[in-house]
């Protein structure tokens, strides 16, 4: 399948990025300036290439982002990855998370670990350079080449047969679990669902073991600290085709236990990647800010832990008082449509 590279103009930085990418792209690659619009991209493989200026900005990039958020571009059937470069040490990953969320809500899927980012000093490639016995610039080019290769030959994940849902809420009062019930009731009986609650100190956070220690226990499918993560959560994640994160938003961040889960998952990640597992998020905010949690799921589990991000991976709702979610107009229909998308139906809704 031909590759389409979307390059928001930001000279001279975009020209430099284009020159860097040119020898790494396959024959037949179509290079598109985002200022020409994003029409006609449905069903294609996309590589977003964003070059930021000294302030971590790019005017053409923001115009493209605005077009995606306003629904001016439909990316249904697309699978994408992205390369982001900056002149300074900040904002490359922040820009990447914004772009992935906006393109995903426009219908674009993202392969696991879809991002190669380069800060101005290339200091973030120091470890990779040491591993490969080369310098930071060469390590960056190797990472881009590997990303392009995975994008070109990325296989679609298998149909969902086993699903794991994680939460840290109380069923008696949780609007988030009420939303999950609306979705779950629309899943067929042949989909095996494992629901796990992580509450009341059942999951300790990662303590930052030495790499060799984490690798040793990870290769055995466990973790030095054991507990419910090793006994229940790790097996459920290992066996599932899709992970659903049920996230209540109280302070514009994932709850402590869900954050601990993401951190502790490193031990299992050392053993195997999660490229063939879908990631979904159901996020309920008391006031606003659900998109902030969606970005956390993207950076923690898609960009870092390699889960596949299906089109429109998250459902965002706002409900404050106990039971108020069920009174939201049309919420049952939205839950049914979300379940349909998980099963490969109604992808454009």
């Amino acid at each position: 399948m031909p590759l389409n590279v979307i390059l928001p103009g930001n000279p001279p930085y975009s020209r430099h990025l284009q020159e860097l990418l040119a020898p790494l792209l396959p024959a037949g690659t179509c290079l598109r300036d985002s200022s020409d619009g994003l029409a006609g991209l449905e069903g294609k493989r996309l590589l977003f290439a964003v070059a930021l200026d000294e302030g971590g900005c790019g005017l053409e990039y923001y115009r493209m982002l605005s077009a995606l958020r306003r629904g001016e571009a439909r990316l249904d059937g697309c699978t994408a990855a992205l390369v982001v470069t900056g002149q300074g040490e900040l904002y490359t990953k922040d820009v990447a998370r914004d772009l992935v969320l906006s393109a995903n809500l426009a219908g674009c899927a993202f392969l696991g670990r879809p991002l190669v980012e380069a800060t101005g000093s290339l200091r973030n490639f120091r470890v990779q350079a040491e591993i490969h016995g080369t310098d930071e610039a060469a390590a960056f080019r190797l990472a881009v080449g590997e990303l392009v290769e995975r994008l070109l030959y990325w296989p679609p994940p298998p149909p969902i047969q086993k699903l794991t849902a994680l939460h840290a809420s109380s069923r008696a009062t949780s609007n988030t679990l009420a939303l999950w019930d609306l979705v779950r009731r629309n899943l067929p009986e042949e989909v095996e669902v494992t629901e796990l609650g992580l509450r009341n100190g059942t999951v300790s956070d990662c303590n930052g073991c030495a790499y060799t220690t984490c690798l040793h226990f990870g290769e055995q499918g466990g973790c030095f600290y054991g507990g419910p993560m090793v006994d229940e959560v790790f097996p459920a994640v290992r066996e599932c085709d899709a992970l659903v994160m049920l996230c209540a938003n109280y302070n514009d961040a994932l709850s402590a236990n869900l954050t601990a889960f993401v951190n502790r998952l490193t031990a299992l990640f050392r053993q195997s990647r999660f490229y063939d597992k879908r990631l979904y998020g159901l996020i309920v905010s008391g006031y606003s800010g659900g998109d902030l949690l969606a970005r956390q799921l993207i950076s923690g589990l898609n960009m870092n832990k390699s889960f596949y991000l299906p089109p429109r991976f998250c459902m965002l709702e706002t409900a404050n008082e106990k039971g108020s979610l069920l009174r939201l107009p049309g919420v049952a229909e939205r839950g049914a449509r979300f379940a349909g998308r998980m099963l490969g139906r109604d992808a454009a809704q």
Side-chain angles (χ1 to χ4, degrees), residues 30-65:
C30 177
L31 184 66
R32 297 182 56 154
D33 190 320
S34 64
S35 62
D36 297 329
L38 299 177
L41 291 174
E42 293 89 340
K44 300 185 183 301
R45 296 289 167 102
L46 308 179
L47 179 67
F48 292 98
V50 180
L52 305 176
D53 62 20
E54 292 90 342
C57 299
L59 295 181
E60 288 300 328
Y61 159 73
Y62 285 115
R63 291 190 181 97
M64 178 182 72
L65 192 69

PDB file of all heavy atoms in Angstrom, residues 30-65:
ATOM      1  N   CYS A  30       3.679   9.384  -1.554  1.00  0.00           N
ATOM      2  CA  CYS A  30       3.034  10.648  -1.925  1.00  0.00           C
ATOM      3  C   CYS A  30       3.273  11.656  -0.800  1.00  0.00           C
ATOM      4  O   CYS A  30       2.896  11.408   0.337  1.00  0.00           O
ATOM      5  CB  CYS A  30       1.549  10.443  -2.155  1.00  0.00           C
ATOM      6  SG  CYS A  30       0.649  11.964  -2.544  1.00  0.00           S
ATOM      7  N   LEU A  31       3.909  12.769  -1.123  1.00  0.00           N
ATOM      8  CA  LEU A  31       4.182  13.820  -0.148  1.00  0.00           C
ATOM      9  C   LEU A  31       3.139  14.913  -0.301  1.00  0.00           C
ATOM     10  O   LEU A  31       2.962  15.469  -1.387  1.00  0.00           O
ATOM     11  CB  LEU A  31       5.580  14.402  -0.356  1.00  0.00           C
ATOM     12  CG  LEU A  31       6.038  15.443   0.651  1.00  0.00           C
ATOM     13  CD1 LEU A  31       6.199  14.816   2.030  1.00  0.00           C
ATOM     14  CD2 LEU A  31       7.359  16.068   0.207  1.00  0.00           C
ATOM     15  N   ARG A  32       2.445  15.224   0.799  1.00  0.00           N
ATOM     16  CA  ARG A  32       1.373  16.210   0.753  1.00  0.00           C
ATOM     17  C   ARG A  32       1.605  17.288   1.789  1.00  0.00           C
ATOM     18  O   ARG A  32       1.878  16.995   2.953  1.00  0.00           O
ATOM     19  CB  ARG A  32       0.009  15.553   1.014  1.00  0.00           C
ATOM     20  CG  ARG A  32      -0.384  14.536  -0.037  1.00  0.00           C
ATOM     21  CD  ARG A  32      -1.749  13.953   0.235  1.00  0.00           C
ATOM     22  NE  ARG A  32      -2.790  14.950   0.354  1.00  0.00           N
ATOM     23  CZ  ARG A  32      -4.073  14.714   0.095  1.00  0.00           C
ATOM     24  NH1 ARG A  32      -4.450  13.515  -0.323  1.00  0.00           N
ATOM     25  NH2 ARG A  32      -4.973  15.647   0.241  1.00  0.00           N
ATOM     26  N   ASP A  33       1.495  18.533   1.341  1.00  0.00           N
ATOM     27  CA  ASP A  33       1.517  19.669   2.259  1.00  0.00           C
ATOM     28  C   ASP A  33       0.117  19.813   2.833  1.00  0.00           C
ATOM     29  O   ASP A  33      -0.864  19.860   2.086  1.00  0.00           O
ATOM     30  CB  ASP A  33       1.938  20.933   1.514  1.00  0.00           C
ATOM     31  CG  ASP A  33       2.213  22.095   2.459  1.00  0.00           C
ATOM     32  OD1 ASP A  33       1.454  22.263   3.432  1.00  0.00           O
ATOM     33  OD2 ASP A  33       3.165  22.843   2.206  1.00  0.00           O
ATOM     34  N   SER A  34       0.005  19.898   4.145  1.00  0.00           N
ATOM     35  CA  SER A  34      -1.318  19.963   4.767  1.00  0.00           C
ATOM     36  C   SER A  34      -2.094  21.202   4.350  1.00  0.00           C
ATOM     37  O   SER A  34      -3.329  21.220   4.433  1.00  0.00           O
ATOM     38  CB  SER A  34      -1.187  19.926   6.292  1.00  0.00           C
ATOM     39  OG  SER A  34      -0.484  21.071   6.758  1.00  0.00           O
ATOM     40  N   SER A  35      -1.393  22.238   3.889  1.00  0.00           N
ATOM     41  CA  SER A  35      -2.099  23.446   3.458  1.00  0.00           C
ATOM     42  C   SER A  35      -2.930  23.185   2.209  1.00  0.00           C
ATOM     43  O   SER A  35      -3.815  23.976   1.874  1.00  0.00           O
ATOM     44  CB  SER A  35      -1.100  24.583   3.203  1.00  0.00           C
ATOM     45  OG  SER A  35      -0.199  24.237   2.157  1.00  0.00           O
ATOM     46  N   ASP A  36      -2.653  22.085   1.507  1.00  0.00           N
ATOM     47  CA  ASP A  36      -3.445  21.727   0.331  1.00  0.00           C
ATOM     48  C   ASP A  36      -4.722  20.978   0.702  1.00  0.00           C
ATOM     49  O   ASP A  36      -5.504  20.604  -0.172  1.00  0.00           O
ATOM     50  CB  ASP A  36      -2.610  20.857  -0.623  1.00  0.00           C
ATOM     51  CG  ASP A  36      -1.395  21.599  -1.159  1.00  0.00           C
ATOM     52  OD1 ASP A  36      -1.487  22.841  -1.315  1.00  0.00           O
ATOM     53  OD2 ASP A  36      -0.370  20.961  -1.416  1.00  0.00           O
ATOM     54  N   GLY A  37      -4.933  20.757   2.011  1.00  0.00           N
ATOM     55  CA  GLY A  37      -6.124  20.057   2.470  1.00  0.00           C
ATOM     56  C   GLY A  37      -5.861  18.582   2.706  1.00  0.00           C
ATOM     57  O   GLY A  37      -4.844  18.030   2.265  1.00  0.00           O
ATOM     58  N   LEU A  38      -6.786  17.943   3.399  1.00  0.00           N
ATOM     59  CA  LEU A  38      -6.640  16.539   3.757  1.00  0.00           C
ATOM     60  C   LEU A  38      -7.724  15.674   3.134  1.00  0.00           C
ATOM     61  O   LEU A  38      -8.039  14.593   3.641  1.00  0.00           O
ATOM     62  CB  LEU A  38      -6.666  16.395   5.286  1.00  0.00           C
ATOM     63  CG  LEU A  38      -5.558  17.122   6.056  1.00  0.00           C
ATOM     64  CD1 LEU A  38      -5.762  16.948   7.562  1.00  0.00           C
ATOM     65  CD2 LEU A  38      -4.183  16.627   5.651  1.00  0.00           C
ATOM     66  N   ALA A  39      -8.291  16.140   2.039  1.00  0.00           N
ATOM     67  CA  ALA A  39      -9.350  15.372   1.380  1.00  0.00           C
ATOM     68  C   ALA A  39      -8.760  14.180   0.629  1.00  0.00           C
ATOM     69  O   ALA A  39      -7.605  14.197   0.195  1.00  0.00           O
ATOM     70  CB  ALA A  39     -10.121  16.278   0.419  1.00  0.00           C
ATOM     71  N   GLY A  40      -9.567  13.136   0.483  1.00  0.00           N
ATOM     72  CA  GLY A  40      -9.179  11.990  -0.324  1.00  0.00           C
ATOM     73  C   GLY A  40      -8.171  11.057   0.310  1.00  0.00           C
ATOM     74  O   GLY A  40      -7.494  10.301  -0.388  1.00  0.00           O
ATOM     75  N   LEU A  41      -8.068  11.052   1.623  1.00  0.00           N
ATOM     76  CA  LEU A  41      -7.090  10.210   2.298  1.00  0.00           C
ATOM     77  C   LEU A  41      -7.694   8.945   2.896  1.00  0.00           C
ATOM     78  O   LEU A  41      -6.974   8.116   3.454  1.00  0.00           O
ATOM     79  CB  LEU A  41      -6.398  11.001   3.417  1.00  0.00           C
ATOM     80  CG  LEU A  41      -5.472  12.130   2.967  1.00  0.00           C
ATOM     81  CD1 LEU A  41      -4.967  12.915   4.182  1.00  0.00           C
ATOM     82  CD2 LEU A  41      -4.297  11.590   2.162  1.00  0.00           C
ATOM     83  N   GLU A  42      -9.017   8.783   2.797  1.00  0.00           N
ATOM     84  CA  GLU A  42      -9.659   7.639   3.430  1.00  0.00           C
ATOM     85  C   GLU A  42      -9.027   6.325   2.974  1.00  0.00           C
ATOM     86  O   GLU A  42      -8.774   6.113   1.789  1.00  0.00           O
ATOM     87  CB  GLU A  42     -11.155   7.622   3.117  1.00  0.00           C
ATOM     88  CG  GLU A  42     -11.935   8.766   3.720  1.00  0.00           C
ATOM     89  CD  GLU A  42     -11.992   9.990   2.821  1.00  0.00           C
ATOM     90  OE1 GLU A  42     -11.130  10.086   1.924  1.00  0.00           O
ATOM     91  OE2 GLU A  42     -12.888  10.826   3.010  1.00  0.00           O
ATOM     92  N   GLY A  43      -8.782   5.441   3.956  1.00  0.00           N
ATOM     93  CA  GLY A  43      -8.280   4.109   3.642  1.00  0.00           C
ATOM     94  C   GLY A  43      -6.797   4.024   3.356  1.00  0.00           C
ATOM     95  O   GLY A  43      -6.311   2.962   2.951  1.00  0.00           O
ATOM     96  N   LYS A  44      -6.038   5.093   3.586  1.00  0.00           N
ATOM     97  CA  LYS A  44      -4.622   5.105   3.220  1.00  0.00           C
ATOM     98  C   LYS A  44      -3.722   4.989   4.454  1.00  0.00           C
ATOM     99  O   LYS A  44      -4.147   5.194   5.582  1.00  0.00           O
ATOM    100  CB  LYS A  44      -4.282   6.384   2.444  1.00  0.00           C
ATOM    101  CG  LYS A  44      -5.076   6.532   1.152  1.00  0.00           C
ATOM    102  CD  LYS A  44      -4.633   7.736   0.362  1.00  0.00           C
ATOM    103  CE  LYS A  44      -5.470   7.921  -0.897  1.00  0.00           C
ATOM    104  NZ  LYS A  44      -5.391   6.741  -1.796  1.00  0.00           N
ATOM    105  N   ARG A  45      -2.463   4.638   4.212  1.00  0.00           N
ATOM    106  CA  ARG A  45      -1.439   4.645   5.248  1.00  0.00           C
ATOM    107  C   ARG A  45      -0.826   6.048   5.296  1.00  0.00           C
ATOM    108  O   ARG A  45      -0.365   6.556   4.266  1.00  0.00           O
ATOM    109  CB  ARG A  45      -0.357   3.612   4.961  1.00  0.00           C
ATOM    110  CG  ARG A  45      -0.857   2.161   4.983  1.00  0.00           C
ATOM    111  CD  ARG A  45      -1.182   1.721   6.402  1.00  0.00           C
ATOM    112  NE  ARG A  45      -1.936   0.478   6.430  1.00  0.00           N
ATOM    113  CZ  ARG A  45      -1.410  -0.714   6.706  1.00  0.00           C
ATOM    114  NH1 ARG A  45      -0.117  -0.812   6.976  1.00  0.00           N
ATOM    115  NH2 ARG A  45      -2.165  -1.787   6.735  1.00  0.00           N
ATOM    116  N   LEU A  46      -0.802   6.640   6.496  1.00  0.00           N
ATOM    117  CA  LEU A  46      -0.366   8.024   6.647  1.00  0.00           C
ATOM    118  C   LEU A  46       0.825   8.113   7.593  1.00  0.00           C
ATOM    119  O   LEU A  46       0.858   7.454   8.630  1.00  0.00           O
ATOM    120  CB  LEU A  46      -1.502   8.889   7.207  1.00  0.00           C
ATOM    121  CG  LEU A  46      -2.852   8.850   6.504  1.00  0.00           C
ATOM    122  CD1 LEU A  46      -3.843   9.769   7.230  1.00  0.00           C
ATOM    123  CD2 LEU A  46      -2.725   9.234   5.042  1.00  0.00           C
ATOM    124  N   LEU A  47       1.775   8.971   7.228  1.00  0.00           N
ATOM    125  CA  LEU A  47       2.861   9.343   8.127  1.00  0.00           C
ATOM    126  C   LEU A  47       2.803  10.858   8.297  1.00  0.00           C
ATOM    127  O   LEU A  47       3.073  11.613   7.363  1.00  0.00           O
ATOM    128  CB  LEU A  47       4.218   8.936   7.565  1.00  0.00           C
ATOM    129  CG  LEU A  47       5.431   9.316   8.438  1.00  0.00           C
ATOM    130  CD1 LEU A  47       5.408   8.523   9.749  1.00  0.00           C
ATOM    131  CD2 LEU A  47       6.742   9.088   7.694  1.00  0.00           C
ATOM    132  N   PHE A  48       2.394  11.297   9.486  1.00  0.00           N
ATOM    133  CA  PHE A  48       2.404  12.721   9.787  1.00  0.00           C
ATOM    134  C   PHE A  48       3.835  13.121  10.155  1.00  0.00           C
ATOM    135  O   PHE A  48       4.458  12.474  11.011  1.00  0.00           O
ATOM    136  CB  PHE A  48       1.463  13.043  10.949  1.00  0.00           C
ATOM    137  CG  PHE A  48       0.006  12.865  10.627  1.00  0.00           C
ATOM    138  CD1 PHE A  48      -0.656  11.696  10.989  1.00  0.00           C
ATOM    139  CD2 PHE A  48      -0.701  13.858   9.980  1.00  0.00           C
ATOM    140  CE1 PHE A  48      -2.005  11.524  10.701  1.00  0.00           C
ATOM    141  CE2 PHE A  48      -2.049  13.696   9.686  1.00  0.00           C
ATOM    142  CZ  PHE A  48      -2.698  12.531  10.040  1.00  0.00           C
ATOM    143  N   ALA A  49       4.340  14.160   9.526  1.00  0.00           N
ATOM    144  CA  ALA A  49       5.702  14.632   9.780  1.00  0.00           C
ATOM    145  C   ALA A  49       5.628  16.106  10.159  1.00  0.00           C
ATOM    146  O   ALA A  49       5.329  16.956   9.321  1.00  0.00           O
ATOM    147  CB  ALA A  49       6.576  14.431   8.547  1.00  0.00           C
ATOM    148  N   VAL A  50       5.886  16.397  11.431  1.00  0.00           N
ATOM    149  CA  VAL A  50       5.690  17.748  11.959  1.00  0.00           C
ATOM    150  C   VAL A  50       7.023  18.286  12.471  1.00  0.00           C
ATOM    151  O   VAL A  50       7.665  17.672  13.314  1.00  0.00           O
ATOM    152  CB  VAL A  50       4.650  17.747  13.098  1.00  0.00           C
ATOM    153  CG1 VAL A  50       4.448  19.164  13.637  1.00  0.00           C
ATOM    154  CG2 VAL A  50       3.324  17.158  12.623  1.00  0.00           C
ATOM    155  N   ALA A  51       7.408  19.455  11.953  1.00  0.00           N
ATOM    156  CA  ALA A  51       8.637  20.119  12.393  1.00  0.00           C
ATOM    157  C   ALA A  51       8.254  21.396  13.142  1.00  0.00           C
ATOM    158  O   ALA A  51       7.574  22.260  12.584  1.00  0.00           O
ATOM    159  CB  ALA A  51       9.518  20.447  11.185  1.00  0.00           C
ATOM    160  N   LEU A  52       8.681  21.505  14.389  1.00  0.00           N
ATOM    161  CA  LEU A  52       8.323  22.637  15.237  1.00  0.00           C
ATOM    162  C   LEU A  52       9.435  23.682  15.239  1.00  0.00           C
ATOM    163  O   LEU A  52      10.616  23.364  15.068  1.00  0.00           O
ATOM    164  CB  LEU A  52       8.072  22.161  16.669  1.00  0.00           C
ATOM    165  CG  LEU A  52       7.036  21.042  16.826  1.00  0.00           C
ATOM    166  CD1 LEU A  52       6.963  20.604  18.286  1.00  0.00           C
ATOM    167  CD2 LEU A  52       5.681  21.487  16.326  1.00  0.00           C
ATOM    168  N   ASP A  53       9.050  24.944  15.472  1.00  0.00           N
ATOM    169  CA  ASP A  53      10.036  26.010  15.528  1.00  0.00           C
ATOM    170  C   ASP A  53      10.608  26.133  16.942  1.00  0.00           C
ATOM    171  O   ASP A  53      10.364  25.281  17.808  1.00  0.00           O
ATOM    172  CB  ASP A  53       9.435  27.336  15.045  1.00  0.00           C
ATOM    173  CG  ASP A  53       8.274  27.817  15.920  1.00  0.00           C
ATOM    174  OD1 ASP A  53       8.159  27.367  17.078  1.00  0.00           O
ATOM    175  OD2 ASP A  53       7.477  28.650  15.440  1.00  0.00           O
ATOM    176  N   GLU A  54      11.356  27.205  17.193  1.00  0.00           N
ATOM    177  CA  GLU A  54      12.019  27.362  18.488  1.00  0.00           C
ATOM    178  C   GLU A  54      11.036  27.454  19.652  1.00  0.00           C
ATOM    179  O   GLU A  54      11.375  27.145  20.799  1.00  0.00           O
ATOM    180  CB  GLU A  54      12.900  28.618  18.483  1.00  0.00           C
ATOM    181  CG  GLU A  54      14.118  28.521  17.571  1.00  0.00           C
ATOM    182  CD  GLU A  54      13.820  29.002  16.161  1.00  0.00           C
ATOM    183  OE1 GLU A  54      12.613  29.089  15.797  1.00  0.00           O
ATOM    184  OE2 GLU A  54      14.774  29.295  15.419  1.00  0.00           O
ATOM    185  N   GLY A  55       9.824  27.880  19.380  1.00  0.00           N
ATOM    186  CA  GLY A  55       8.813  27.970  20.429  1.00  0.00           C
ATOM    187  C   GLY A  55       7.965  26.731  20.567  1.00  0.00           C
ATOM    188  O   GLY A  55       6.992  26.719  21.325  1.00  0.00           O
ATOM    189  N   GLY A  56       8.310  25.659  19.850  1.00  0.00           N
ATOM    190  CA  GLY A  56       7.523  24.439  19.905  1.00  0.00           C
ATOM    191  C   GLY A  56       6.201  24.557  19.182  1.00  0.00           C
ATOM    192  O   GLY A  56       5.250  23.852  19.506  1.00  0.00           O
ATOM    193  N   CYS A  57       6.135  25.443  18.195  1.00  0.00           N
ATOM    194  CA  CYS A  57       4.900  25.700  17.452  1.00  0.00           C
ATOM    195  C   CYS A  57       5.134  25.532  15.953  1.00  0.00           C
ATOM    196  O   CYS A  57       6.266  25.417  15.484  1.00  0.00           O
ATOM    197  CB  CYS A  57       4.386  27.117  17.723  1.00  0.00           C
ATOM    198  SG  CYS A  57       3.986  27.447  19.449  1.00  0.00           S
ATOM    199  N   GLY A  58       4.047  25.544  15.223  1.00  0.00           N
ATOM    200  CA  GLY A  58       4.073  25.521  13.764  1.00  0.00           C
ATOM    201  C   GLY A  58       2.719  25.950  13.267  1.00  0.00           C
ATOM    202  O   GLY A  58       1.715  25.267  13.509  1.00  0.00           O
ATOM    203  N   LEU A  59       2.628  27.082  12.608  1.00  0.00           N
ATOM    204  CA  LEU A  59       1.327  27.636  12.232  1.00  0.00           C
ATOM    205  C   LEU A  59       0.564  26.706  11.305  1.00  0.00           C
ATOM    206  O   LEU A  59      -0.650  26.522  11.464  1.00  0.00           O
ATOM    207  CB  LEU A  59       1.518  29.014  11.598  1.00  0.00           C
ATOM    208  CG  LEU A  59       2.074  30.107  12.532  1.00  0.00           C
ATOM    209  CD1 LEU A  59       2.187  31.430  11.780  1.00  0.00           C
ATOM    210  CD2 LEU A  59       1.191  30.260  13.761  1.00  0.00           C
ATOM    211  N   GLU A  60       1.232  26.120  10.326  1.00  0.00           N
ATOM    212  CA  GLU A  60       0.533  25.208   9.421  1.00  0.00           C
ATOM    213  C   GLU A  60       0.080  23.951  10.149  1.00  0.00           C
ATOM    214  O   GLU A  60      -0.977  23.392   9.843  1.00  0.00           O
ATOM    215  CB  GLU A  60       1.423  24.846   8.231  1.00  0.00           C
ATOM    216  CG  GLU A  60       1.620  25.973   7.237  1.00  0.00           C
ATOM    217  CD  GLU A  60       0.298  26.446   6.638  1.00  0.00           C
ATOM    218  OE1 GLU A  60      -0.625  25.614   6.482  1.00  0.00           O
ATOM    219  OE2 GLU A  60       0.185  27.649   6.331  1.00  0.00           O
ATOM    220  N   TYR A  61       0.867  23.509  11.117  1.00  0.00           N
ATOM    221  CA  TYR A  61       0.443  22.365  11.930  1.00  0.00           C
ATOM    222  C   TYR A  61      -0.854  22.689  12.664  1.00  0.00           C
ATOM    223  O   TYR A  61      -1.784  21.872  12.686  1.00  0.00           O
ATOM    224  CB  TYR A  61       1.531  21.984  12.933  1.00  0.00           C
ATOM    225  CG  TYR A  61       0.985  21.195  14.102  1.00  0.00           C
ATOM    226  CD1 TYR A  61       0.586  19.869  13.946  1.00  0.00           C
ATOM    227  CD2 TYR A  61       0.821  21.787  15.355  1.00  0.00           C
ATOM    228  CE1 TYR A  61       0.052  19.147  15.006  1.00  0.00           C
ATOM    229  CE2 TYR A  61       0.299  21.078  16.416  1.00  0.00           C
ATOM    230  CZ  TYR A  61      -0.078  19.758  16.242  1.00  0.00           C
ATOM    231  OH  TYR A  61      -0.625  19.058  17.285  1.00  0.00           O
ATOM    232  N   TYR A  62      -0.938  23.863  13.264  1.00  0.00           N
ATOM    233  CA  TYR A  62      -2.143  24.216  14.012  1.00  0.00           C
ATOM    234  C   TYR A  62      -3.347  24.389  13.090  1.00  0.00           C
ATOM    235  O   TYR A  62      -4.482  24.103  13.482  1.00  0.00           O
ATOM    236  CB  TYR A  62      -1.900  25.462  14.856  1.00  0.00           C
ATOM    237  CG  TYR A  62      -1.061  25.174  16.073  1.00  0.00           C
ATOM    238  CD1 TYR A  62       0.203  25.727  16.224  1.00  0.00           C
ATOM    239  CD2 TYR A  62      -1.514  24.295  17.063  1.00  0.00           C
ATOM    240  CE1 TYR A  62       0.983  25.434  17.333  1.00  0.00           C
ATOM    241  CE2 TYR A  62      -0.736  23.998  18.164  1.00  0.00           C
ATOM    242  CZ  TYR A  62       0.511  24.568  18.300  1.00  0.00           C
ATOM    243  OH  TYR A  62       1.278  24.259  19.391  1.00  0.00           O
ATOM    244  N   ARG A  63      -3.116  24.842  11.868  1.00  0.00           N
ATOM    245  CA  ARG A  63      -4.227  24.901  10.908  1.00  0.00           C
ATOM    246  C   ARG A  63      -4.723  23.500  10.586  1.00  0.00           C
ATOM    247  O   ARG A  63      -5.930  23.264  10.475  1.00  0.00           O
ATOM    248  CB  ARG A  63      -3.780  25.630   9.639  1.00  0.00           C
ATOM    249  CG  ARG A  63      -3.528  27.128   9.828  1.00  0.00           C
ATOM    250  CD  ARG A  63      -3.322  27.825   8.494  1.00  0.00           C
ATOM    251  NE  ARG A  63      -3.061  29.240   8.676  1.00  0.00           N
ATOM    252  CZ  ARG A  63      -1.855  29.793   8.706  1.00  0.00           C
ATOM    253  NH1 ARG A  63      -0.779  29.021   8.552  1.00  0.00           N
ATOM    254  NH2 ARG A  63      -1.695  31.087   8.889  1.00  0.00           N
ATOM    255  N   MET A  64      -3.798  22.566  10.424  1.00  0.00           N
ATOM    256  CA  MET A  64      -4.189  21.179  10.167  1.00  0.00           C
ATOM    257  C   MET A  64      -4.942  20.613  11.368  1.00  0.00           C
ATOM    258  O   MET A  64      -5.970  19.925  11.217  1.00  0.00           O
ATOM    259  CB  MET A  64      -2.956  20.334   9.871  1.00  0.00           C
ATOM    260  CG  MET A  64      -3.260  18.856   9.631  1.00  0.00           C
ATOM    261  SD  MET A  64      -1.781  17.859   9.337  1.00  0.00           S
ATOM    262  CE  MET A  64      -1.080  17.829  10.998  1.00  0.00           C
ATOM    263  N   LEU A  65      -4.446  20.881  12.573  1.00  0.00           N
ATOM    264  CA  LEU A  65      -5.098  20.398  13.782  1.00  0.00           C
ATOM    265  C   LEU A  65      -6.517  20.939  13.886  1.00  0.00           C
ATOM    266  O   LEU A  65      -7.459  20.209  14.216  1.00  0.00           O
ATOM    267  CB  LEU A  65      -4.282  20.813  15.005  1.00  0.00           C
ATOM    268  CG  LEU A  65      -4.645  20.161  16.338  1.00  0.00           C
ATOM    269  CD1 LEU A  65      -4.271  18.684  16.330  1.00  0.00           C
ATOM    270  CD2 LEU A  65      -3.939  20.874  17.492  1.00  0.00           C
TER     271      LEU A  65
END
